[in-house]
Amino acid sequence: MNENSVRLGVVMDPIAEIKPYKDSTFAMLLAAAARGWSLHYMEQDDLWVENGRAMAMASPLAVRDQPADWFALGESKDMELGDLDVILMRKDPPFDMEYIYTSYILELAQDQGALVVNDPASLRDANEKVYLSWFPQCCAETLITRSIDRIREFAKAHDKIVVKPLDGMGGRSIFIVARNDPNTNVIAETLTDFGRQFTMAQRFLPEINETGDKRILLIDGEPVPYALARIPADGEARGNLAAGASSRGVPLSERDYWICAQLGQTLKDKGLLFVGLDVIGDYMTEINVTSPTCIRELDAEFDLDIGGLIMAAIQSRLATGK
């Protein structure tokens, strides 16, 4: 395939509302445009299926790396998604039923000729919290349950735990619970909806306050050699930039590389071409597959072109048909 003839579609949240200086999807679009690829913009409600064909109302997109006037959209038109060479699925969570329905449409598009990044079936399979359970050797003690009693016993077994929903992002609804905390029951009741939904508890890792919550990026199973360490703000225990954390880039440690090696081939085989691992101290705490971030921050600090590396990996997949 002629590299300059690649047609790339992107499914994302409204591009007019992003912060281009920090948006990872925007970094990927800039990298694709730099290769001369044509860009086609879609939001979730622009997709549909008609008579067995995956369809979209897509707009030609131009992007510019500047703080204002960073994009321009052409006239939208109906198209078959399978006619695109590649589609980036970059819609942020919540991972709800609408997200799952969207993944079905994109899986149909993939069957009809488009490479979808990340693979739609794997997006459904690899819940960002539960998928840790396939790699227990990389994780601190973890519990996934609907049982308030089990959460309470888990809290008693550790000095401090983290309790969080399975479908959240950006640090939302994350609770830190100390042993014998009088709020343990009400937190467990709230997150499990009184035992009606699964939630996650993990042993609290105090290293977050020293070395931060590191975001490690993997491209087709291979790690970028630097991570973004996100340090909680004063009075906070969450290492999420959306929760006010500060950040600094750090080289990967030997343990980081070991964790990446434990996952890399599996992620590659599942078509999870761009993944973000969250690592605190020596332990992985999440596997982000829906819309990993931190490209722009690492590019700026270390003079990288992570978006370009992703496009190169996509081009390789297109060339080999895998």
Side-chain angles (χ1 to χ4, degrees):
M1 176 181 292
N2 183 339
E3 181 174 339
N4 291 331
S5 68
V6 172
R7 303 178 72 198
L8 180 144
V10 60
V11 180
M12 61 184 291
D13 293 303
I15 193 169
E17 298 175 13
I18 68 170
K19 298 176 181 176
Y21 69 92
K22 63 178 295 184
D23 192 89
S24 290
T25 303
F26 189 66
M28 296 163 73
L29 294 172
L30 288 172
R35 288 173 170 255
W37 297 3
S38 63
L39 307 181
H40 305 268
Y41 170 83
M42 297 159 277
E43 296 177 23
Q44 197 171 26
D45 58 3
D46 293 323
L47 309 181
W48 78 94
V49 176
E50 186 168 348
N51 299 323
R53 308 302 294 179
M55 304 291 296
M57 184 174 65
S59 301
L61 171 66
V63 291
R64 298 173 285 271
D65 193 6
Q66 54 193 41
D69 191 30
W70 59 88
F71 75 99
L73 293 174
E75 183 178 354
S76 62
K77 64 177 183 178
D78 295 351
M79 66 184 306
E80 292 198 21
L81 287 171
D83 290 340
L84 293 167
D85 297 298
V86 59
I87 301 170
L88 302 178
M89 174 46 168
R90 294 288 301 177
K91 171 73 178 67
D92 282 342
F95 193 94
D96 53 13
M97 285 305 302
E98 290 304 306
Y99 192 104
I100 290 175
Y101 298 145
T102 301
S103 76
Y104 291 144
I105 297 174
L106 293 177
E107 187 172 7
L108 187 61
Q110 186 154 269
D111 289 346
Q112 294 168 355
L115 170 67
V116 180
V117 177
N118 283 320
D119 180 271
S122 293
L123 286 177
R124 296 194 299 271
D125 289 346
N127 175 274
E128 303 191 334
K129 276 79 170 175
V130 179
Y131 196 46
L132 294 172
S133 302
W134 274 253
F135 308 96
Q137 71 275 24
C138 301
C139 307
E141 296 87 338
T142 299
L143 173 72
I144 299 170
T145 185
R146 292 165 58 144
S147 169
I148 296 168
D149 289 341
R150 287 193 178 92
I151 293 173
R152 186 166 53 242
E153 290 304 312
F154 191 78
K156 288 180 181 178
H158 303 284
D159 287 334
K160 192 181 289 186
I161 66 170
V162 178
V163 189
K164 54 188 173 182
L166 297 182
D167 60 353
M169 65 168 290
R172 296 172 190 165
S173 300
I174 292 178
F175 292 87
I176 311 298
V177 180
R179 181 186 288 148
N180 299 321
D181 190 322
N183 293 309
T184 301
N185 281 349
V186 70
I187 290 170
E189 290 166 359
T190 299
L191 288 181
T192 66
D193 190 20
F194 292 89
R196 287 189 287 266
Q197 62 188 30
F198 284 99
T199 194
M200 168 180 275
Q202 295 171 309
R203 176 168 63 84
F204 177 76
L205 299 168
E207 295 91 339
I208 191 170
N209 295 312
E210 301 166 8
T211 57
D213 182 352
K214 290 186 290 188
R215 168 60 56 83
I216 299 172
L217 300 179
L218 289 90
I219 300 170
D220 218 9
E222 295 296 325
V224 174
Y226 300 95
L228 194 71
R230 297 160 297 173
I231 314 298
D234 289 343
E236 265 285 358
R238 296 174 295 174
N240 303 89
L241 298 180
S246 60
S247 65
R248 66 169 183 267
V250 295
L252 298 193
S253 68
E254 183 177 345
R255 171 73 175 185
D256 294 335
Y257 278 112
W258 180 84
I259 291 173
C260 292
Q262 298 298 299
L263 281 76
Q265 189 61 50
T266 300
L267 298 176
K268 184 172 183 175
D269 291 345
K270 290 178 73 67
L272 294 168
L273 189 142
F274 183 47
V275 174
L277 307 183
D278 288 347
V279 174
I280 300 173
D282 287 337
Y283 300 103
M284 180 171 61
T285 61
E286 290 192 17
I287 304 172
N288 296 274
V289 301
T290 51
S291 54
T293 61
C294 300
I295 289 178
R296 297 286 265 177
E297 294 90 343
L298 289 171
D299 278 354
E301 188 163 350
F302 297 107
D303 193 26
L304 303 174
D305 180 16
I306 295 171
L309 295 175
I310 295 169
M311 295 309 121
I314 289 172
Q315 180 66 49
S316 177
R317 292 254 177 161
L318 292 174
T320 60
K322 296 181 180 179

